[in-house]
Amino acid sequence: QVQLVESGGGMVQPGGSLRLSCAVSGSISSSGDMGWYRQAPGKERELVAAILRGGSTSYADSVKGRFTISRDNAKDMVYLQMNSLKPEDTAVYYCNDLTRAMIPSASWGQGTQVSVSA
């Protein structure tokens, strides 16, 4: 059983910041290869940030320089710091293990809504 609980979303103005949190429990660990994904209305879910077991990180071009992924393995938490938010960042944000996320039948958390609007 895997549990992923995302939180921290909200409504912000362009240029604002939010910090998302993901609590990980069950058969996966935050110390693995983890990612933050987002799904905007009418679009497919996309990977926006990843952190690998060794600590290296990578980002989608659309968020590079604005978003930072991190984790606290002692707390089994993964975070996404989002700065300089843009209206196009509006989406439901999810976290998941990178390998698990590629399985069509894998479950996801409920996600957290981020809305960026003036």
Side-chain angles (χ1 to χ4, degrees):
Q1 190 84 9
V2 172
Q3 277 203 320
L4 300 159
V5 181
E6 300 91 350
S7 62
M11 185 175 293
V12 296
Q13 294 185 339
S17 298
L18 285 172
R19 188 193 192 210
L20 307 184
S21 300
C22 173
V24 180
S25 62
S27 59
I28 63 173
S29 168
S30 66
S31 62
D33 298 336
M34 296 294 297
W36 277 98
Y37 300 76
R38 69 185 180 189
Q39 186 166 21
K43 295 187 177 180
E44 293 197 352
R45 186 151 36 200
E46 62 171 342
L47 177 66
V48 296
I51 183 166
L52 302 185
R53 187 175 297 274
S56 61
T57 59
S58 62
Y59 300 90
D61 287 343
S62 58
V63 306
K64 203 170 292 183
R66 301 187 297 119
F67 289 12
T68 302
I69 187 171
S70 62
R71 62 182 163 205
D72 183 336
N73 291 337
K75 297 181 180 179
D76 245 342
M77 297 288 293
V78 183
Y79 304 100
L80 186 68
Q81 178 66 44
M82 306 188 298
N83 298 327
S84 302
L85 283 161
K86 304 176 180 180
E88 51 264 43
D89 295 320
T90 295
V92 179
Y93 284 71
Y94 305 85
C95 68
N96 213 332
D97 175 272
L98 294 180
T99 300
R100 189 169 177 276
M102 292 188 288
I103 302 171
S105 59
S107 61
W108 292 75
Q110 84 288 349
T112 187
Q113 175 72 49
V114 172
S115 299
V116 185
S117 174

